[in-house]
Amino acid sequence: MSCSNSIKSLLDIQDVNIIFDENCVKEGTYKGKRCKYILGKLTYTPTHCVKCGVKNTDFTVYKNGTQLSRITLPITGINPTYLLLQKQRFMCQSCQSSFTAKTPIVQRNCFISQNVKAQVILKSAEAQSLTSIARDCSVSPASVQRQINQAAKQFIPHYKALPKHLSFDEFKYAKGEMAFESINAESGDILDILDRRDNLTIKKSLYCELQFD
Ligand SMILES: [Zn+2]
């Protein structure tokens, strides 16, 4: 396996358009913390212009410089890991617009990799605090909350009604673990009992109530 493919395998990057050179891993600091920077390049020949749609024949769309992005990756070893990705810029002769190469490892205008987002969601189901997840995934607590909110949205099929007044309680169950219950405050009916108290599980539960109420 080539050096580039070994690094991609290590980082779980499948995009064939990203390549790594030898000696692409550098030690550094970010916001005063030690970290690892991995330098990569993203380039390809576009089939068409993403702005006007013209087919790319005879260099209608040509390569025109690069743009550097810092993308947060899952931690490798003990320090935060960032991909410094040199993204190819393209210029279209037909519409005179320029655009940047895309990669599925990160959403447009976002600097947190999809793998980190997936990691946040997995950890949020383990009753870990927002700050602890944020630290483990090298992102801010606000970013963690945003990912949880976005994941929870997938569980909203349609709006019906939860009881007007809800109350919540926590109690100890097996092995001293805490469980969470949601209750209709007027009737006293228990709506749900959860063996976890994390944000994502509670939101999922409430959205399921909306679905089946
Ligand atoms: Zn164009």
Side-chain angles (χ1 to χ4, degrees):
M1 194 185 276
S2 71
C3 172
S4 181
N5 284 344
S6 298
I7 289 171
K8 285 166 79 169
S9 170
L10 183 71
L11 300 176
D12 287 318
I13 290 177
Q14 270 97 40
D15 188 348
V16 293
N17 299 319
I18 293 179
I19 48 168
F20 294 97
D21 293 332
E22 270 185 53
N23 306 317
C24 61
V25 183
K26 310 277 179 207
E27 297 273 334
T29 55
Y30 181 67
K31 291 187 176 172
K33 282 187 192 164
R34 283 174 66 88
C35 68
K36 255 177 267 171
Y37 288 113
I38 303 173
L39 282 61
K41 287 178 191 160
L42 168 68
T43 188
Y44 53 86
T45 303
T47 54
H48 62 279
C49 168
V50 299
K51 297 283 170 73
C52 72
V54 71
K55 264 195 169 181
N56 182 19
T57 48
D58 293 331
F59 300 100
T60 317
V61 180
Y62 60 94
K63 293 178 179 176
N64 184 32
T66 56
Q67 181 188 325
L68 192 67
S69 292
R70 179 185 44 74
I71 298 161
T72 307
L73 296 178
I75 290 175
T76 56
I78 54 170
N79 294 319
T81 305
Y82 300 103
L83 171 61
L84 286 180
L85 190 60
Q86 232 177 30
K87 292 178 175 174
Q88 185 73 59
R89 296 272 301 157
F90 302 105
M91 186 79 194
C92 172
Q93 294 195 55
S94 178
C95 69
Q96 299 299 314
S97 298
S98 58
F99 58 97
T100 310
K102 283 183 191 163
T103 170
I105 70 163
V106 68
Q107 283 179 322
R108 195 165 165 260
N109 297 328
C110 183
F111 299 99
I112 298 172
S113 77
Q114 295 295 86
N115 283 355
V116 170
K117 290 182 178 178
Q119 203 177 38
V120 165
I121 299 305
L122 285 175
K123 283 178 182 286
S124 71
E126 291 170 0
Q128 219 179 318
S129 72
L130 286 184
T131 45
S132 157
I133 297 173
R135 194 178 50 239
D136 286 359
C137 298
S138 324
V139 295
S140 68
S143 293
V144 172
Q145 185 66 67
R146 203 158 38 241
Q147 291 316 313
I148 291 170
N149 291 347
Q150 279 175 5
K153 273 186 202 163
Q154 296 167 9
F155 296 93
I156 309 174
H158 53 268
Y159 280 100
K160 285 194 176 176
L162 278 167
K164 200 169 181 182
H165 301 288
L166 281 168
S167 71
F168 306 107
D169 203 2
E170 293 170 318
F171 59 91
K172 273 192 182 154
Y173 76 114
K175 294 178 190 167
E177 297 285 321
M178 296 297 285
F180 176 93
E181 65 179 337
S182 51
I183 301 154
N184 180 331
E186 280 159 3
S187 68
D189 292 339
I190 292 174
L191 297 171
D192 207 352
I193 297 176
L194 307 169
D195 60 357
R196 297 169 177 173
R197 298 178 296 158
D198 61 276
N199 206 323
L200 181 62
T201 307
I202 292 169
K203 280 188 173 169
K204 269 191 205 171
S205 145
L206 293 177
Y207 289 136
C208 283
E209 294 295 336
L210 289 173
Q211 182 182 8
F212 297 116
D213 188 17

